[in-house]
Amino acid sequence: MKEARYFYVPDAAAVNELPAEEAVHALRVLRLKEGDELFLMDGEGCFYRAEVALATTKKCIYAIRQTLRQTRAWRGRIHLAIAPTKDMGRMEWMAEKATEVGFDVLSFLDCKFSERKTLRTDRIEKIVISAVKQSRKGWKPAVNPMMSFRSFIEHCPDNGRKYICHCYPEISRADFFSAVSCVSPAVRSSQDRRQTDADTPSSAEDLTVLIGPEGDFSIDEVRLAMAHGFESVTLGNSRLRTETAGLSAVMMSQLARRV
Amino acid sequence: MKEARYFYVPDAAAVNELPAEEAVHALRVLRLKEGDELFLMDGEGCFYRAEVALATTKKCIYAIRQTLRQTRAWRGRIHLAIAPTKDMGRMEWMAEKATEVGFDVLSFLDCKFSERKTLRTDRIEKIVISAVKQSRKGWKPAVNPMMSFRSFIEHCPDNGRKYICHCYPEISRADFFSAVSCVSPAVRSSQDRRQTDADTPSSAEDLTVLIGPEGDFSIDEVRLAMAHGFESVTLGNSRLRTETAGLSAVMMSQLARRV
């Protein structure tokens, strides 16, 4: 069986041409010809079955034959905000794995004990898009530029639940997986109402989770977050590296919210 | 605060000298001197607080001052058997991450659709030991050499529950996380009896989970495993790479069995 050809094309329904990089892959690597079938993903909930209408050396024009609306695989939006590790390779694999597992937003935090103060989000974006295609995700996770911890906390929208994972035993911490697994009655009923409109995530079920740098958040950062409505949590008893903690938080969130 | 120095020393209580590689690290990197404190991990449930008794250019002799018995962080033994990916880097990070999260045994399977037929388990072993030290695990996961799928299935001990993850929709599959989360009354009562002896894992709570190669198990392999008592399961709706599936299976198992 021929492996279906998936291409990431934002606004696929509005344009009729593959973006330059995808066109190179279609024309030079896969050698697609007029009449060949291809699949487009717009990263916003739609796949399209299309056909090559015109193939030149550099351009690949398509015609859409069928719209395939995707259904969301988990309830609410899962937002991971993490202090990037010194070694970028570790952030890159985390971005790939978190995309495969399934989440919605990736933000990067500049914290007091951060060892990395700058980050090329364009590289992360490429890895995320590649993982979206490979794992056939209906929605592309958004990747935000790095911002200061304080600015993130102060501007984080007040939808759903917000959590900060940290290792300070002197601050009482709830278990993260238990916290995200327990859905309040109010949320349940909004979930029932959503049965006919599963594509619109309910903001009451949104969750944001913060993971600190190798040296953890500072205790003042934890207190600031808590003052802004973040719940103090732990991922469990395992001593995890930053990138493993980030992926664990995504896996637990996805597991708790999957439909 | 000085970071505590942890060394992996199998049979730490029976010998009194660091293994060659650990001695180099202690003497040349950390420059430990007589009287300095160090911590030994035997990988079998004990840490030891020790002191350098004699430091030469190549040898580091220690004296144990205190035995620190560790408590198990999850119930039963978690055994992951996986067909290694073509790209060894992907297996290596999975071994590191699974060790951080927590599991007991890693086996490698040679399957019909395997792209990799040989494997240097000594490299994996080194990565596992490094992750055991970094994440301060009381027990070192065992790493087994690669064996044929059939041989593994036929010789897999009959303790606990056994699962095979696959993607064949024509074979009914239970949800893996739900399956491992539900503990039978018989197991619960044996668990209660174990309260005073938490270090001895109960074989009734052991679990073995099989993850196939990039091209999945063959349908005959799935049927063979089922004929030998393996339950047919799925990890969920996400389309995961082999190494991500392996890590997900470990995370779900650990989450379901943590104490």
Side-chain angles (χ1 to χ4, degrees), chain B residues 121-165:
Chain B
T121 41
D122 58 331
R123 271 189 65 89
I124 298 283
E125 176 80 16
K126 274 194 181 175
I127 286 163
V128 164
I129 289 172
S130 166
V132 160
K133 288 197 280 186
Q134 198 273 332
S135 65
R136 311 276 160 82
K137 286 286 181 283
W139 282 260
K140 186 191 78 65
V143 179
N144 293 326
M146 187 132 103
M147 64 198 295
S148 78
F149 180 82
R150 174 175 289 274
S151 173
F152 183 88
I153 294 298
E154 290 175 350
H155 296 101
C156 186
D158 213 19
N159 54 332
R161 303 273 288 262
K162 303 185 287 187
Y163 304 93
I164 182 166
C165 300

Side-chain angles (χ1 to χ4, degrees), chain A residues 119-208:
Chain A
L119 183 87
R120 281 190 52 186
T121 42
D122 58 331
R123 271 190 64 90
I124 299 283
E125 176 80 16
K126 273 194 182 176
I127 285 162
V128 164
I129 289 172
S130 166
V132 161
K133 289 198 279 186
Q134 198 271 333
S135 65
R136 312 277 161 80
K137 286 285 181 283
W139 282 260
K140 186 192 78 64
V143 179
N144 293 328
M146 187 132 104
M147 64 198 295
S148 78
F149 181 82
R150 174 174 290 275
S151 173
F152 183 88
I153 294 298
E154 290 175 350
H155 297 100
C156 186
D158 213 18
N159 55 332
R161 303 275 287 265
K162 303 186 288 188
Y163 304 93
I164 182 165
C165 300
H166 65 89
C167 303
Y168 292 97
E170 62 267 47
I171 299 179
S172 141
R173 293 167 298 168
D175 177 67
F176 177 69
F177 184 63
S178 307
V180 294
S181 299
C182 106
V183 177
S184 74
V187 173
R188 274 208 188 282
S189 73
S190 88
Q191 177 189 332
D192 295 341
R193 285 198 303 275
R194 263 186 327 110
Q195 287 301 318
T196 52
D197 186 21
D199 291 351
T200 312
S202 151
S203 72
E205 292 206 70
D206 287 356
L207 75 90
T208 302

Side-chain angles (χ1 to χ4, degrees), chain A residues 23-32 55-60:
Chain A
V24 168
H25 184 67
L27 300 168
R28 305 223 189 132
V29 182
L30 302 173
R31 297 173 181 275
L32 297 192
T56 69
T57 46
K58 286 192 169 173
K59 275 175 183 283
C60 182

Side-chain angles (χ1 to χ4, degrees), chain A residues 79-85 90-92 94-95 98 103 105-111 114 116 119 124 144-147 149 152 208-214 217 235 241-250:
Chain A
H79 183 170
L80 170 67
I82 189 166
T85 47
R90 293 183 174 270
M91 277 301 99
E92 290 173 7
M94 191 209 69
F103 76 137
V105 188
L106 177 58
S107 296
F108 293 101
L109 304 173
D110 179 1
C111 301
S114 284
R116 171 174 288 277
L119 183 87
I124 299 283
N144 293 328
M146 187 132 104
M147 64 198 295
F149 181 82
F152 183 88
T208 302
V209 53
L210 310 185
I211 302 289
E214 276 98 335
F217 294 114
L235 294 174
R241 284 173 178 273
T242 294
E243 73 278 9
T244 321
L247 183 59
S248 290
V250 167

